Amino acid sequence: MNTDPRSALAALIAAFERHYEAAASSRGDDDPTLDAATEQLASAFDDYDDALFDAYDVATPLIVFDGDDDDDEDDDFDDLDDFDDEDDDYEDDDYDDDEGDEKEDGSRR
């Protein structure tokens, strides 16, 4: 796809507006208008992201989640469990509050 990023951005903004209107007038979780607007928003975002990357080699920092992966909801966060809080600890001896103080001869303490 070779879409102009500016055009894709305009389409994305319009999709956000349609999604907002559908959400504001929604009749519940199973509202077909809201579902359609959600799909159009996701598609417009993907088009914008692709166009931006094709033109400038830049990606947006966002990911579109679809509702099909409800069972895998926590899979993206499984790696976070591998982090250990103890890794963030550091020795207080390594940190010196007087870091910028100089001795009279110009050397650091």
Side-chain angles (χ1 to χ4, degrees):
M1 172 203 301
N2 197 2
T3 304
D4 173 48
R6 177 60 69 179
S7 299
L9 176 60
L12 176 59
I13 291 169
F16 268 116
E17 290 174 351
R18 284 189 301 272
H19 185 268
Y20 171 78
E21 293 299 326
S25 63
S26 175
R27 290 177 244 126
D29 291 340
D30 296 328
D31 187 337
T33 304
L34 181 57
D35 289 342
T38 299
E39 288 179 30
Q40 290 170 354
L41 177 57
S43 178
F45 172 77
D46 285 338
D47 291 346
Y48 171 69
D49 196 39
D50 290 344
L52 192 65
F53 189 81
D54 289 346
Y56 305 113
D57 274 348
V58 174
T60 62
L62 307 172
I63 299 172
V64 174
F65 290 101
D66 59 10
D68 297 339
D69 296 331
D70 290 340
D71 295 338
D72 300 330
E73 187 174 304
D74 294 327
D75 286 352
D76 292 333
F77 301 104
D78 286 344
D79 293 336
L80 294 177
D81 294 335
D82 294 338
F83 288 106
D84 188 351
D85 290 339
E86 293 175 15
D87 293 341
D88 293 334
D89 293 342
Y90 58 89
E91 293 293 322
D92 287 334
D93 297 339
D94 293 339
Y95 181 77
D96 185 8
D97 286 335
D98 299 326
E99 176 178 275
D101 293 347
E102 293 183 9
K103 295 180 181 178
E104 288 181 26
D105 65 359
S107 62
R108 298 224 180 248
R109 289 185 200 185

